[in-house]
Amino acid sequence: MTDTDRVVVIGAGPYGLSVAAHLGAQGTPYVIFGDAMESWRQYMPIGMFLKSPWGIASSLSHPGSQFTLDRYLATRGGRPAGPIPIDLFIEYCLWFQKQTVPEVDPTRVVSLDVEEGGAYRLSLSDGRELVTGRVVVASGVRSFGTIPDFAADLPRELASHSVEHHDLSVFAGKRVAVVGAGQSGLETAALLHELGAETELIVRAGGISWIHHKFWNQGVFKKTLYAPSDVGPLGLSWLIAKPLLYSRVPLAQRRKLDRKAIHPAGAYWLRERVEDIVPKSLGTAIVEAKPTDGGLRLQLSDGSARQVDHLILATGFRPQLRAVSYLSAEVHARIEAREGTPKLNPHFESSLPGLHFAGALATGTFGSLFRFVAGAAVSARAVAKGAAARRIQ
């Protein structure tokens, strides 16, 4: 099938759905591949809450304002209160999809190659092939999970990344160590403890940071000191919320700002479920992990050891092009990259004309905003603006 004027969107999570909603609203023909919100439905932990607050920070994007999370809650007769339950967020995203992107093809893309003349050929899991002139890669972060060197060769039944667990109740009654002091590690530890696992949190830093904006609920201060995207600390959040401006900051300085914006920390509402509740080893790290007949033996940097049934690595994500398995060797070779992520223009377009990247792979150019749902609006608007029909000669 050849339709070089139609945009192909790969991925039906918050970014893919937002891009498709903007394309459809402006009348640009498109097709979107992916099972809507699949990773969120199948891999996010049961009982999880979103770290981001109500409002724009947790809403998908459409040119109109009638499809926000708060509007969806209003249709159910509810009002924003407390942290956002993952089930509610998924329900909202599926509602958004039905309202704005009614046709989603769940078929998986197995390869994407570039042809002579600049067209893109996609092979699908059902055997179909598609040729188009413009593609938007909006894959999620699941394939970007980082595994520390000490755990790289451990079997997955003994050590796994936090993104691999949907139902943590399977660890009830088990000894589980959790590595990491970010939101994922802290919330995973809290859920495990509440589900009856013998849980210990191992943190390299000497303490745990909690995010609680002092002025967040104080009227004009909220709007003045923190951007609605809610990514980054006081003041810096406004720069991060303007990614085209942020991309002009010298790279070395930008990397420092990125680390400051997304340093390991937990949401304030999680604190009471972790502090003085979940046992912790602070200021120490795992230096060696060896399988034993009874599970896994962990040797810590403070000289102590632990025997556990399972080790969960809440060690974050590192977006890398090489982790996108369906991109052909030719595509990989022709994309100009920096530190493993594609260099993008203001339309989130790579050095391969017509190939855009929305979501986590945009962080290398535009910063930390695109690790969060809040970045979907900026990328969707930019991609749609640059998606005028591109005809292949």
Side-chain angles (χ1 to χ4, degrees):
M1 179 167 53
T2 302
D3 184 354
T4 56
D5 289 345
R6 180 170 51 174
V7 180
V8 173
V9 180
I10 304 175
Y15 278 81
L17 292 175
S18 295
V19 169
H22 278 259
L23 291 171
Q26 71 181 22
T28 300
Y30 72 89
V31 60
I32 178 171
F33 292 108
D35 189 358
M37 297 298 292
E38 177 184 25
S39 290
W40 292 75
R41 291 186 288 106
Q42 295 187 6
Y43 300 108
M44 294 297 183
I46 297 171
M48 168 188 161
F49 291 87
L50 268 65
K51 183 180 181 180
S52 53
W54 294 90
I56 294 174
S58 299
S59 293
L60 277 60
S61 182
H62 180 272
S65 59
Q66 68 268 43
F67 300 112
T68 65
L69 174 59
D70 291 8
R71 284 291 184 92
Y72 171 67
L73 189 63
T75 67
R76 297 177 39 171
R79 299 180 62 185
I84 302 166
I86 184 65
D87 289 347
L88 174 63
F89 179 70
I90 292 172
E91 289 173 8
Y92 155 67
C93 291
L94 294 176
W95 171 81
F96 177 96
Q97 177 256 307
K98 291 177 181 177
Q99 302 297 317
T100 66
V101 190
E103 295 185 10
V104 177
D105 189 327
T107 312
R108 185 168 57 91
V109 174
V110 296
S111 71
L112 169 64
D113 205 354
V114 60
E115 300 190 326
E116 186 175 347
Y120 296 97
R121 181 175 294 274
L122 295 93
S123 297
L124 307 179
S125 58
D126 60 4
R128 284 180 293 161
E129 288 197 338
L130 174 67
V131 176
T132 186
R134 194 172 294 275
V135 177
V136 183
V137 174
S139 303
V141 301
R142 185 169 181 266
S143 61
F144 303 142
T146 57
I147 302 294
D149 290 342
F150 71 79
D153 297 323
L154 293 174
R156 299 272 66 83
E157 62 267 21
L158 293 178
S160 55
H161 197 277
S162 57
V163 76
E164 298 177 44
H165 299 288
H166 176 59
D167 185 1
L168 290 168
S169 67
V170 298
F171 294 111
K174 302 288 184 67
R175 297 164 297 177
V176 184
V178 179
V179 176
Q183 179 73 8
S184 178
L186 296 169
E187 190 165 22
T188 296
L191 289 167
L192 286 166
H193 176 79
E194 292 160 2
L195 290 167
E198 186 180 327
T199 309
E200 181 179 6
L201 190 62
I202 299 174
V203 178
R204 183 171 51 190
I208 295 173
S209 296
W210 300 101
I211 297 173
H212 185 52
H213 295 161
K214 184 177 180 182
F215 302 107
W216 184 245
N217 292 314
Q218 298 183 22
V220 67
F221 290 108
K222 170 182 174 180
K223 297 180 180 179
T224 302
L225 300 176
Y226 297 98
S229 57
D230 194 44
V231 177
L234 185 151
L236 178 56
S237 68
W238 280 108
L239 178 59
I240 291 173
K242 299 181 184 299
L244 297 184
L245 177 62
Y246 190 70
S247 67
R248 298 177 186 175
V249 175
L251 183 61
Q253 183 64 23
R254 198 173 350 133
R255 293 295 174 261
K256 292 180 181 178
L257 295 176
D258 282 338
R259 288 192 292 271
K260 186 176 181 180
I262 57 171
H263 72 280
Y268 72 93
W269 48 261
L270 187 57
R271 189 170 188 168
E272 64 183 17
R273 296 168 57 193
V274 176
E275 257 188 14
D276 302 323
I277 301 293
V278 178
K280 306 169 194 63
S281 291
L282 303 177
T284 189
I286 298 173
V287 295
E288 187 179 50
K290 288 186 175 180
T292 66
D293 290 340
L296 194 64
R297 180 177 173 81
L298 308 177
Q299 187 66 44
L300 273 59
S301 59
D302 63 3
S304 63
R306 305 285 189 276
Q307 182 69 29
V308 299
D309 297 304
H310 197 85
L311 174 65
I312 293 182
L313 302 159
T315 43
F317 301 88
R318 188 184 180 194
Q320 294 284 287
L321 268 171
R322 66 172 181 267
V324 185
S325 59
Y326 55 80
L327 298 182
S328 73
E330 176 72 11
V331 170
H332 277 290
R334 291 177 59 180
I335 295 176
E336 186 178 356
R338 180 170 52 204
E339 298 179 349
T341 62
K343 293 178 69 174
L344 305 175
N345 69 16
H347 298 304
F348 289 68
E349 187 175 20
S350 70
S351 56
L352 271 175
L355 181 59
H356 303 252
F357 290 86
L361 283 169
T363 57
T365 300
F366 296 115
S368 306
L369 182 67
F370 300 96
R371 290 177 177 268
F372 304 91
V373 173
V378 177
S379 56
R381 287 194 297 267
V383 170
K385 187 175 180 180
R390 174 177 176 258
R391 297 184 182 279
I392 305 301
Q393 301 301 322

